[in-house]
């Protein structure tokens, strides 16, 4: 074979090999970045789910949204003799109190208005929490805690069955992958 042809082929193979190695490195970097972005997205989704789940737990125990009246805030920030007198009285009360934090809490404690939740809404929310607890391993213990906490002061009809179900789900969650494969009938 012609030596110049062999040289040209060797040079071409070297260029192709270098391009293939560079492409492999670029691909690996792209895969790492996509995995990182997926982890970030999963953390964000988990955070949103946890926030919504916490809100549901509050609803299941009869705590609705709390809000601060805009009219009340505007009245507190307004100018006038009566407002200044009230401000001074509260300021004097807080200054004279031995426990300043407690005094501030007493003064501002009634300002947020809480909207109550009805018992039907609370019961429905508990059922939603139980369903979410059965579906998502991370939420199982929280759902069980909400049901058990509510059972102390106003038991939900059928709560004992739901709690037992969630306990079985927790046991399933603790099982390893091999145990789950070997004992599929234990799945709740």
């Amino acid at each position: 074979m012609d030596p110049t042809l062999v040289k040209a082929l060797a040079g071409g193979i070297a260029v192709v090999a270098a391009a293939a190695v560079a492409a492999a490195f670029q691909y690996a970097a792209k895969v790492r970045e996509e995995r990182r972005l997926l982890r970030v997205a999963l953390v964000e989704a988990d955070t949103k789910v946890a926030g919504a789940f916490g809100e549901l737990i509050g609803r299941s125990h009869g705590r609705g949204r709390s809000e601060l009246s805009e009219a009340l805030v505007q009245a507190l920030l307004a100018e006038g003799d009566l407002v200044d007198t009230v401000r001074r009285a509260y300021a004097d009360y807080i200054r004279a109190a031995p426990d300043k934090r407690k005094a501030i809490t007493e003064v501002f404690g009634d300002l947020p208005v809480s909207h109550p939740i009805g018992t039907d809404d609370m019961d429905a929310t508990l059922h939603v929490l139980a369903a979410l607890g059965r579906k998502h391993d991370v939420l199982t213990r929280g759902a069980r805690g909400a049901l058990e906490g509510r059972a102390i002061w106003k038991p939900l009809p059928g709560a004992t069955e739901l709690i037992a179900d969630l306990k079985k789900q927790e046991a399933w969650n603790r099982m390893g992958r091999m145990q789950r494969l070997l004992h599929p009938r234990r799945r709740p």
Side-chain angles (χ1 to χ4, degrees), residues 21-38:
V21 168
F25 280 125
Q26 287 177 346
Y27 179 74
K30 182 179 178 183
V31 167
R32 277 193 307 272
E33 181 62 18
E34 285 179 1
R35 283 184 184 158
R36 187 189 69 77
L37 290 174
L38 178 64

Side-chain angles (χ1 to χ4, degrees), residues 53-82:
F53 192 74
E55 215 173 282
L56 286 174
I57 287 177
R59 290 183 66 82
S60 73
H61 286 254
R63 291 187 301 269
R65 289 177 61 126
S66 295
E67 60 186 3
L68 195 58
S69 166
E70 284 185 44
L72 181 60
V73 171
Q74 287 176 354
L76 289 173
L77 297 176
E79 296 299 321
D81 294 336
L82 177 62

Side-chain angles (χ1 to χ4, degrees), residues 23-161:
F25 280 125
Q26 287 177 346
Y27 179 74
K30 182 179 178 183
V31 167
R32 277 193 307 272
E33 181 62 18
E34 285 179 1
R35 283 184 184 158
R36 187 189 69 77
L37 290 174
L38 178 64
R39 281 193 303 271
V40 168
L42 288 174
V43 167
E44 288 176 356
D46 287 347
T47 303
K48 288 179 184 176
V49 168
F53 192 74
E55 215 173 282
L56 286 174
I57 287 177
R59 290 183 66 82
S60 73
H61 286 254
R63 291 187 301 269
R65 289 177 61 126
S66 295
E67 60 186 3
L68 195 58
S69 166
E70 284 185 44
L72 181 60
V73 171
Q74 287 176 354
L76 289 173
L77 297 176
E79 296 299 321
D81 294 336
L82 177 62
V83 173
D84 290 337
T85 304
V86 170
R87 280 189 198 144
R88 273 193 304 266
Y90 279 140
D92 292 341
Y93 175 73
I94 291 171
R95 254 187 249 115
D99 186 359
K100 306 255 187 274
R101 242 183 209 183
K102 187 176 177 186
I104 291 171
T105 303
E106 286 175 15
V107 169
F108 294 108
D110 293 333
L111 291 183
V113 176
S114 291
H115 300 285
I117 303 294
T119 55
D120 292 340
D121 191 15
M122 291 187 319
D123 293 351
T125 303
L126 277 173
H127 284 289
V128 168
L129 287 172
L132 287 171
R134 274 189 244 123
K135 187 174 182 180
H136 301 286
D137 296 352
V138 174
L139 305 177
T140 305
R141 182 168 290 171
R144 190 180 113 207
L147 282 163
E148 289 173 342
R150 168 76 187 281
I152 293 170
W153 60 277
K154 186 179 185 304
L156 175 72
T160 53
E161 292 84 9

